[in-house]
């Protein structure tokens, strides 16, 4: 049980740091490199984990997992034309799956 708590705290720290970096100096850090793509892949994995970790009769959890996957893919698509929207979607998909995985 202690290991799960450590993973939870570590994931929260990483996600909050990434969200802060996404909006630091109007996204300058995220614009200069492949940061958005790496974080989108990370959030895609969180969405897949959400989808596969809930039992098959928890339809709401499955729908949330699919929603997180779709939002992660949309953040990769919107990176070039609507950078602010991409950062907002990415920050949502960084925070929401951790809440639903560990606290629901």
């Amino acid at each position: 049980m202690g290991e799960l708590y450590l993973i939870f705290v570590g994931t929260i720290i990483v996600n909050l740091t990434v969200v802060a970096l996404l909006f630091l100096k109007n996204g300058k850090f995220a614009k200069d490199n492949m940061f958005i793509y790496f974080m989108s892949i990370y959030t895609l994995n969180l969405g897949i984990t959400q989808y596969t970790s809930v039992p098959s009769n928890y339809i709401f959890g499955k729908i949330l997992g699919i929603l997180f996957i779709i939002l992660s893919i949309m953040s990769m698509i919107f990176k070039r034309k609507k950078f602010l929207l991409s950062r907002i979607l990415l920050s949502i998909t960084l925070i929401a799956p951790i809440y639903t995985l560990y606290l629901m």
Side-chain angles (χ1 to χ4, degrees):
M1 194 67 170
E3 295 88 11
L4 184 62
Y5 182 72
L6 290 176
I7 292 171
F8 172 68
V9 170
T11 308
I12 290 294
I13 290 170
V14 167
N15 287 356
L16 291 179
T17 305
V18 168
V19 169
L21 288 175
L22 281 173
F23 292 101
L24 185 70
K25 294 185 180 178
N26 201 16
K28 183 179 179 185
F29 180 76
K31 222 182 253 188
D32 293 340
N33 54 16
M34 301 289 289
F35 185 73
I36 293 282
Y37 291 120
F38 289 133
M39 288 301 108
S40 294
I41 292 170
Y42 173 68
T43 58
L44 184 69
N45 286 333
L46 286 176
I48 291 170
T49 303
Q50 168 69 30
Y51 181 75
T52 59
S53 68
V54 296
S56 61
N57 60 346
Y58 287 10
I59 302 299
F60 184 68
K62 297 279 187 185
I63 291 171
L64 280 177
I66 291 171
L67 178 69
F68 297 146
I69 291 169
I70 291 170
L71 289 177
S72 176
I73 292 170
M74 286 173 56
S75 70
M76 283 190 269
I77 292 171
F78 291 144
K79 185 203 182 287
R80 299 224 185 254
K81 295 184 181 173
K82 297 178 182 178
F83 187 60
L84 178 64
L85 180 62
S86 174
R87 291 184 294 161
I88 290 170
L89 288 174
L90 195 59
S91 63
I92 288 170
T93 57
L94 279 168
I95 295 171
I98 299 304
Y99 174 75
T100 58
L101 276 174
Y102 290 106
L103 300 178
M104 275 185 124

